[in-house]
Amino acid sequence: INEAIQYFMEIELLVFVKEQAQYKYNITALKKINASSDIYCFLKKKLDSLPAETREVLSTAAVIGNKFSIFTLQQIIDVPLVKIHDAISYFMGKGILINKDDQASDNNYLKFSHKIYQYSAYQALDNEKRERAHFRLGQSYLSALANAAVSKNIYEIVYQFNHSNRYIGKGITNKKLAHLNIDAGKKALKNTAYNSALVYFENALRLVKLNLLEWEQEEIYNLYLLAGRTSYLKNDLVNAVKHLEF
């Protein structure tokens, strides 16, 4: 609370009236405030003041999602286990992390107490480490799941790899990721989620074009056909023609 008061005084949202020995709102500043933005700035400032490894634990957890397991966190971060637990204890003490589903006895599954905490922690991670965390998370999901489970979780898996561009080709081939995007697109198309389906198909096309020699002509034709059909179904006739006349 004292830290929050100090921050709000710094941005002139609160003023201390000595004569009355109390804090008062600055009405002019209050009218201009963007609550989410200012809370984010406050949290970012606090995170920036923490040791790098402590900060990285929270930020990497944010990559996993609002809810996460310590086991998964261990797999995708280069921080010793003892420091992971120290950081988690610190953030639980601050009320930033809490037990998942309010199970006070289980510290292995945690969640962020508010989405602004997750957002702030995610944004605090530099691009290289963020992409690395997404990539490792995608690898973890892909290696741990059987084929049926991969199909069930295809959106989550593809999301992780699609947010780790600089690592593609190092641990997963362009062709493998293209096939995953195609599978995700087909699933989205079946569920009439045309916008999402087109994004997946166009991601796959971008990956195919990186090395056309790896692909059979029929495979490329079928992918353009999927992209064109999806564009037509979402009433994007310009894109439909572009894909169908490749």
Side-chain angles (χ1 to χ4, degrees):
I1 293 175
N2 290 334
E3 292 171 351
I5 290 174
Q6 181 180 354
Y7 174 72
F8 290 140
M9 289 184 70
E10 288 177 9
I11 64 173
E12 300 181 345
L13 181 61
L14 282 178
V15 293
F16 184 71
V17 182
K18 291 183 179 179
E19 293 79 7
Q20 300 175 17
Q22 63 180 4
Y23 292 98
K24 285 193 174 182
Y25 289 112
N26 180 340
I27 301 300
T28 302
L30 190 60
K31 289 179 180 178
K32 297 178 181 179
I33 192 171
N34 181 330
S36 295
S37 175
D38 283 311
I39 292 172
Y40 163 68
C41 290
F42 169 65
L43 293 172
K44 185 178 184 303
K45 183 177 180 181
K46 294 307 301 176
L47 283 172
D48 288 344
S49 70
L50 296 173
E53 288 183 329
T54 303
R55 184 170 65 247
E56 188 176 347
V57 168
L58 190 71
S59 293
T60 306
V63 172
I64 300 173
N66 178 257
K67 299 177 181 180
F68 64 94
S69 73
I70 294 178
F71 175 76
T72 301
L73 181 59
Q74 285 178 246
Q75 292 184 305
I76 65 172
I77 192 172
D78 295 324
V79 174
L81 182 58
V82 64
K83 292 192 175 183
I84 293 176
H85 283 287
D86 287 346
I88 286 172
S89 295
Y90 172 81
F91 289 118
M92 290 186 75
K94 294 291 184 180
I96 293 173
L97 295 178
I98 58 178
N99 294 101
K100 180 184 175 184
D101 301 324
D102 299 321
Q103 295 175 355
S105 61
D106 191 354
N107 283 348
N108 290 314
Y109 293 89
L110 304 168
K111 66 180 180 180
F112 286 84
S113 59
H114 195 283
K115 63 181 180 181
I116 192 65
Y117 292 141
Q118 182 194 356
Y119 173 80
S120 301
Y122 183 85
Q123 294 298 322
L125 199 60
D126 67 64
N127 288 335
E128 193 277 332
K129 287 184 177 180
R130 189 185 304 162
E131 287 195 19
R132 183 179 65 197
H134 278 299
F135 179 72
R136 288 179 175 178
L137 191 55
Q139 281 188 312
S140 174
Y141 290 153
L142 200 56
S143 62
L145 299 173
N147 288 338
V150 168
S151 178
K152 182 179 179 181
N153 296 278
I154 190 69
Y155 297 146
E156 178 64 24
I157 294 169
V158 171
Y159 175 86
Q160 302 303 333
F161 285 125
N162 284 350
H163 283 76
S164 55
N165 289 332
R166 74 184 71 194
Y167 287 91
I168 302 308
K170 297 179 180 179
I172 182 172
T173 65
N174 291 329
K175 189 168 186 178
K176 174 65 174 178
L177 182 55
H179 277 301
L180 288 171
N181 272 278
I182 292 168
D183 290 343
K186 287 179 178 178
K187 185 174 181 178
L189 183 61
K190 184 178 180 180
N191 293 328
T192 68
Y194 302 133
N195 288 331
S196 296
L198 186 59
V199 169
Y200 291 126
F201 291 141
E202 290 186 338
N203 276 338
L205 283 169
R206 176 178 57 81
L207 291 163
V208 167
K209 291 174 184 176
L210 293 176
N211 196 343
L212 290 171
L213 295 178
E214 289 186 339
W215 296 81
E216 298 292 335
Q217 189 65 31
E218 185 178 359
E219 291 179 304
I220 299 173
Y221 171 79
N222 288 335
L223 179 53
Y224 272 104
L225 195 63
L226 282 168
R229 179 188 171 207
T230 306
S231 298
Y232 175 78
L233 289 171
K234 68 186 287 286
N235 294 317
D236 185 351
L237 299 183
V238 174
N239 244 339
V241 171
K242 181 184 76 172
H243 289 311
L244 292 173
E245 290 185 346
F246 80 98

